[in-house]
Every structure is written in C-alpha cells, then in structure tokens.
Amino acid sequence: MKNLGLTAAQNTAYLARLFSSHDYRIAVDLLTLDETPAGSLVLLDGQINIQAGEAVRRTASITVSDAAGMLDTTGVTALEDGTVGPSRLVRLTHIIEVPATQVGNTLVGAFTVAVPCFIGPPSTMNRNGAEVSLELQDKTALAIRGTSAYTAAKGTNARSAIRDILAKKTGEFRFNLGTGTRRLSKAYAVGLADEASPWAVASKIASAELGMQLIYSCDGYATLRTKPATSQITLPYLTAQAASSTDFTTVNNFVQVSGKKTTTTTKTASGSTVTTTTQPQATSQIANGILSPAALARKGVARLLPKVIAEDAYTTLAQVKWKADLELSGSDQFEGNPTFASVPIFHLDADDIVTVLGESGSMAVRLEQASIPLGTSGDMSIGTHRWVSAAPSRRNSTRTLRTRTVKRK
Amino acid sequence: MPTQTTVLNLYSVQAAKATTYYGRPATLPLRGGAGTGRAAAVFRPDLSKIPRNAIITDAYVDIRLAAAASGSRTMNLQTKPSAVSTRPTWGNYGALGPQVATQTRGSLVNGSQFKLTVTATIQAMVKGTQPNNGFRLELADSTAIKIRGTVASGGRPALVVAYVVPPVAPTALHPAGSAISTARPTLTFEAAADITKMQVQIDPTGNGAAPQYDTGERATTGGLLDLTDAPYAAFPSLAEGETRLWRVRQSNAAGWSPWSGWVVLSRVAVGTIEITQPPGDPDPDDDGILTPVPIDDGTPPVTWTYTPPDGATQTAWRGRLLDDSGNVIADSGRTLGTDAEWTPNKGLTRTGQQGTIEIEVWDDTDRVATPGDPVSVIGIKPVYLSGDPTVDPVDTLVGRVGVWVPDVTLTATRVAVPDYLALVRDGEEVARWAGLDVFETVGGIPTATVVDPASTMNVEHTWQLVPIVNGKKGVGGPEFTATPRCLGIWLAEADAYFPSPADPDAVQDLTRRVVLWGGDGQEQTQPETAIVHQPLPATLSGAGTAAPVVRRRLLRSAPQGAISGTVIDAGGTTPDENVPTPEHVEALLREWAAADSGTRYVLTLGNWTGEVILGDITIVETPVQQPERRLSVSMNWWAQ
C-alpha cells in the first residue's frame, strides 16, 4: 500500500473522508515516456484491476471523452502531442478534498489528497463515436520484453543491480528501493529472451537475493518491499456480503501414479528364459475428512474420486510417491475465491493485507485481485484465495509391480 | 544506520579429546569447571566489510541455546592474543586474552538468547588498535549446555554490529557561481540523511585557515543556512558586485566529513520596476498596503519602466492580468526583448471588478534563485474597473427581441461616434465593436445597431451599450431589459458570432448559422456522476453500528446531448428575413459535417445557450411530394 505521506491524524481523516459522502475527481494525464505532461483527457468511466501473481499486476480500463477527435487514429489529428500511442503513458490520479476535521484531540486542517493510482502505457485503443476506450498496463509492461544484453556482476550490491538493470535497460528513473548491503551471490544476465527481460531478472534478484518483492507501486515507482505480513488497513464496513464460488467436482481423494516398466531377461542354467517386468507404483489417498472415501460412502460403499497417472519419466518408488503426493495435495481441498465489496480505496497494491469486518468477525484478506472503479459504476471488489475445507491427512502406499515369465527350453 | 550481521564460524573444542578437530557442528556443548568434560568454542569474526573509520554504536555476539537447561548459566567471552588455528582443537587453540563480555541468565529454554556485548572490543579491532585474533566462548558452570552452531537450521551464532561512518563532503552547493541579489543569502547543499551539524566558511580568497567568516559548528537537520538568521548576525553582508567563496562540511554521529570545495558566491542586485500605465500609486502612504487604482478599460494598455543594475539590460519580460481570485485572465508568456508595454488580450469585464497587473522582468546577469530571491524582478499594481464618468454614455437605447430568431437587436444613438462600443449584458462586457463599423447617421443622428445573438433564452437580461473613447470606458447610461425567446434549435459558428472585447475589429457574421425545426424530445444530459454505496446493516457488518449511506460524486464533464430536427424547403420562403433559408442551412450543415472536429459553435437549445463542439452530423433526405424537400438532421454535441 502506498504511503501517502500524511500524518497519522491526516491519514485517519482521509480514510474517514473516503468512507463518507464526498466529491472526487479523476485526473487523466497523458504523459511522454519521460513522464512529462503532454495533455489531459476527460474520464467517463473506468476501473483499475489488480491481479497478484501476474508480471503486470495492475491494469486499467478507461473510457474517455474525445468529442474533438484529438485521439482519432483514423484521420486528422488535432493535437499531435496529445495522441495516445506507444510513446505515451497515461496517469490516473484520484483527488479529494478533506475538510478540517477533529481527530481525537487533534484538529486537522483542510487538505487535498491526490493519489496517483495508476501510470502506464496503453495496450489497446478503441473508438466508438466520441468515446475512446483505452486498455492500460502498469509500467511493468515497459520491462517484460527481452532487450540487449546486460550483466549484473557477482558481488554487486543487490539493490544497485536492480536499479542499474531497470535504469540502463528500460530508462526507469523512479525508484523506491531502500538501502542495504546484500551483494549478489552470482551474476545475473539480461538478454533478448523474455525470460531474461529486465523485469524478470530484477524480480529474480529481489526474491532470490533479498527475499523481497519487486513491484510497481500505484504511483509508478519501482518498489522493493517485504511481502506484507500484517494488515495495513481496516475497511470500516463492507457494502455487500462476501461472495464466493466453490467447485465440488474438481477434487480427488485418490491418486495412483505408475512409473516406467522395466524388462530384464535372463537365462537359467537349464537353458530356460526368464523375463521379469517391474513397474514402480504409488497411491496416495485421503484418510479422513469430508472428502475421504469413507465420508463419501453410500450404504457403506466407499467412493473413490480417483486420478490415475502413468508416466515413464518416473523410474523409482520415491519418484512415483512424490508425484502422487503432489497431485493429491493440489486437489484434495475445496477452493474458494471470496470477494468483498467496499467503497473504493485507491492506494492499494497486490499482496497487501486488508482487514474486513464481517458478520462473524474480522478477517485479514490478502489482496490477490481487485477491481477499483474510477467512475460511478459500482463498489470496489477485492478478492483472495482460500481453502474452504480442512487439510486432510493422507495415506500412502507404494509397491513394485512384478511379472515373471519363464520359457522353458 | 548500517547494521551488519555475520554468522560466526563457531568451532567446538572439547577437552575429552584434546587433539580431535570437531569442526563447526549444528550443536556444540559448552561446559566449564574442571576435568576432561570441559568444552568451549572459538571463532574469529570477519570484520573486513566494516569501514575502518566506522564508529561502532553497538556490537554483540548472539548465541542461542539448542536445548533447555535448568537453573541459570554464565557465559563468558575472551579475546585471543594469537590467531585461532584453521583447525582448532582443545589442544591447539592457544592462549587467552582478557575477558571482554559475560552474561548470566536463567529460565533457559530451547532458543534462549545470550547476548554478549563487545562494542568496545569490535571498535578497537575495526580501528586497528587491537588485532582480531578471535574469541573463545566458554561456560563458567560445570553443568553442560548445548548451543546452536554454524550450520544449525535456525538461531545460528552471529556477530551483530551497528555502526555509523562519517558523511562524505557535502555536494550540490548552491549558489555556486551564478549571482544572487541579496546581501545575506540562504545557502543550501545536499546533506547526508543523518546530518547533525554543519560548518560554513566564507572568505574572499578561499583561505580556510583564517576565513573572513566562520559559522562554527551549528546543529542542523538539513543542508540549509539562512544568513539572515540571528546566529549569523556577524556575517559581513555582501556588497553590491562583491564576490566571495564559500565551503561547507557536515557531521553525523561518526564525525565530520571533509570540507567541500570552495564555490563562488557573488551578489548582483536586481533592478527596479515601476508600472507607469495605468497611472496611479497603489501605495500613497508607503505603508505596504496596496489599494487598487481605477482603470477605465478592462484591457488597459500597460507600460512600465525598468531600471536595471549597473551594466545590465532587460532581456525578457512577462505580463499577467489576474482577477480578484488570483486566476490568470491574460498572460503574455515569457517574451524575449526589451519591450516596456503590453496590452492584455482579455480583461476585467464587470464594473467594480478588481484585478492585479503583474510585470516580471529578467536581465542579462547570470543569476540563480535562492529561497526568497528569485532571478527576476516583479512589479505589481492592483486595479479595479471603474469606468470613466467623463465619457458621455449613449443618449438613447432601444431593444427588440426577435420572435423567430434568438437575436436581441439593440439600437443606440449618441451625438459623437465613440472609438468603440461595448455590449454589456447583465453587467459583463460580452462584445465590442469599432464605432465606425456600427454607427450610421440616421436622420442626422449617429445611430448604432448591434445584435446580441447569444443570450440565454427565456431568462430576463439587462443590456447596455457603453462607449469607449480614448481608451476610457464610460459608465452608466440607459438600459434595456427583456426576456428573449425564439423558436427552433440554433447553431452558429462561434468565431463569427461575436467580436470579443479583445478583438473589436473582428467582423460579426450572422449568416454563419443554421436553424432546425420540429425536433421532438431533444436530449440534453448531464452524465450520471454519482454513486451511492449502501453499507451492510449493523447486524451483518461486524462493526456493531450501522454506517451511513455514502454518496460519491465524480466531478467531471460538462453537459452533452444529441439534437435532431428538420430542414424544410417549402418553396424558398422563410417566416422571417433573419431566418436562414433552407438552401443556406443545408449548405452550411454539409460544410460543418466536413469541418475540423474541433470547431466551436454556439448552440441555443431551449433555455440553454453555450459553446459546444459537434460530432456525428447526419443529414438524411426524406422523400416528400415535390417540389418540397425535407432533410432530417441529427448530431451530437458536447459543451466546451
């Protein structure tokens, strides 16, 4: 979550203002790639989307008024500097005025809060009459393609290496990396392959060398941070009951993995031919809980929800057992994706932890996905991922299947 | 403040097998007392990454137990006078130096921490006054305990060192070379984040040994020194044209940085500026309180006199006219040249309205701005639009409201034709014509006829025609009050509709407009810009109390809408001579449909009149009985 630079009392007043009736503005600024202003647009509607786990974690869809046709790509362009294209960035800023407020014993004077809640290049533009729809990606999109070679040498300060990679290979100049002495344990190379893009390599350094996250914060700063472990904000109330969906048909309670068959042939002293075939096999089964075969039994007949895998890549008992456990652990619980509706907040980032107050108490929610409306089309939605059934214990068995064929002379 | 945590290579040495090398196990026994059961540990920390000039603020050896123990234990740490062997054993770890740390603690559980403070010892080792030959860790008690070792999964032994280093010499000294204009400037530099003190020296020759002025050591939290502050009263003020050198150093908890290099500090005063036109002294009492001076015209010609310092000349200027709220009405922008006059292209419009004329001038001296000392000089003069009662008003004023058209025709007479004639609607000047363009002699009397086609329909307005003579605008005069009404939807090219007060010589062309008839249900919308968030009821919210409904309103766009109507050609006749003919309307609409999409128009739609841009203009001809023609026209509009 972006630090807004407010005092504690101002922050309290700001959040109280967000959660009470107010007027607000969304400034849509068109910037050059050097982030100098090149024009402004009038927002009609739009939303910011946050998705954790993606390289581009923050996207936005906006519809702007372009009655004068300044963004027209089909004909005459009235303002060339204002044209949207790959050489432009779009910045969205949420602005509200906070009136003078009493916070505890402190009188907080009136102030204005302008939260830069998105900055990034457009990915698509569609015109429909005087309305132009823009799909935007955060500045990560400028760094996720491969580029010319660059190597951060072993022993380089890790934070300096991240800064150098992004500055020298993408031209980034807005950093919030902090300071530290940790040095690279090995060299890291940027290259033409997307897997070696500046962002991929810089993120790898952040996670592998520093144990931190590298993100573009909502105001467009390349930011190093420790993945939040505690709640950073509490939503005073929700505007709808939590929604969730769970699929009961995609679970398994039994996995069987069979490995590669191996055949050996020997001759006995009597001249007979003995052919022996062996195949490692392992099963993993849920032993208890609501998904166990016994719990799903009808008239005492246990019900298996099996998954059967035959894969020659596994040649040992240990390998098939590992695979069986892995497969079962990924499908032995019901998965829910609860979402919560709230009045919008504009300075959240993916992986932030938000406390929501629900019917049965408070819950800390890691923000894995969110849609933050910019216009007046609805509530903010934040979502997370949860297992909604208890983790069961498992029962394993392994064996080697053997067949022996003897051909007598 | 940097902190370095180094995992220690903790070697186990045990008396029971005095020649056995135990290496660095995951757990180590410690036991004191006597006999062959004794066990200790030795280590030599790596201090190479701590700068030699670092000041150690805290250093301790962090040891964690690997198993619980009863009672309390005392752990001691001794230095070693000779280096620890690379394969230390009980028999070869060598002599011991003095004990440098000890700690006794009880309640010993697995993971309990022993924190052996070695700040002074590490400081001496880093500084080089004491060799780093390592340490021996031992237990004072004869009952053994187990501690976690170098390869333990967690809680490894560590040396934690917090230190500070003196800052580097300050950089980015400002000013440095370019001139400032004040005798006691504010000096700034880029300071270290942990700066605690600074010292500035100023000397004409850069003599650091005996500087002309030395601030001495001053506590500070940033790189700024204002020489007007009381502690620096002894600073001899810079004389006009004088040049000196200055330098600075800074300190933090670890000590002082080197001095920065000397940089030039020179003073060249700025000139003075006097706005001579419009006339009047806004501060006759010289008490610093400015009183607006009257101006006869909302866009008064402005002249000024700039007196530069010796040897300097004006290189650029900028004129601005601001209204009484500080909003910029007219701005020349920064203009290169030695001009000394400027006329705003927009001005004050209401009699009595206040504003401020601001003239900014730059000279050819190489200057830099410092706090409170800009590189230019600004002269201001507050004004208010008074009108001039010596200018005779028009003698008569007659108005006529159009029945079919949105025009209000105003006819005035005046004995003498004025230079200009201003149209004032509801107290605000909205148009201006050259007198000779609109006055004709009728019956021997100069008579002016002008048209206001852009008033809001169905709303009562008051009009005046105000003469302007020799740059002086009259005040008062006869008024005409009426409520204009019209039929149809009117659109006109904005550029041709009105000569603005700033461009009175423009020609008003009332032919560049069209009218559409018979449109039903004209759509005019203010896009929905608010949302209501309904908090969950108290019983579901978990907050215990019900929160109020929240209404959030997005402040954004102006009105927009769609209009449609018909153009009927019933044989070339029109209901009024001022109503454009269908042929003219069709031709103009087709011209507009192909025009630049940024063209502005004036739309009169019901009781709304304003500037708009148009889009999606569609013209469809509907078959009707000849010779009539019927065009259906539709378009979208957006207010500007």
Side-chain angles (χ1 to χ4, degrees), chain A residues 19-26 42-44 67-68 130 236-241 343-344 346 357-359 376-379, chain B residues 528-531 533-536 539-543 547-557 597-598 613 616 638:
Chain A
F19 280 85
S20 57
S21 296
H22 60 266
D23 292 345
Y24 72 100
R25 282 175 285 151
I26 300 288
V42 175
L43 179 83
L44 297 177
Y237 55 81
L238 298 175
T239 51
Q241 288 184 274
V343 174
F346 294 85
L357 301 174
E359 186 180 2
T376 53
S377 54
D379 297 327
Chain B
E528 175 52 38
T529 59
I531 180 172
H533 299 275
Q534 178 72 54
L536 283 174
T539 53
L540 297 175
S541 72
V549 169
V550 172
R551 184 173 190 274
R552 298 169 58 242
R553 187 175 60 164
L554 175 59
L555 303 175
R556 53 167 194 202
S557 50
S597 54
I613 58 172
D616 311 324
W638 296 266

Side-chain angles (χ1 to χ4, degrees), chain A residues 31 36 44 49 124 151 161-162 210 226 338 349 353 378 382-383:
Chain A
L31 308 177
T36 56
L44 297 177
N49 303 303
T124 64
T151 299
I162 293 172
L210 297 167
T226 304
D349 284 314
I353 296 181
I382 59 175

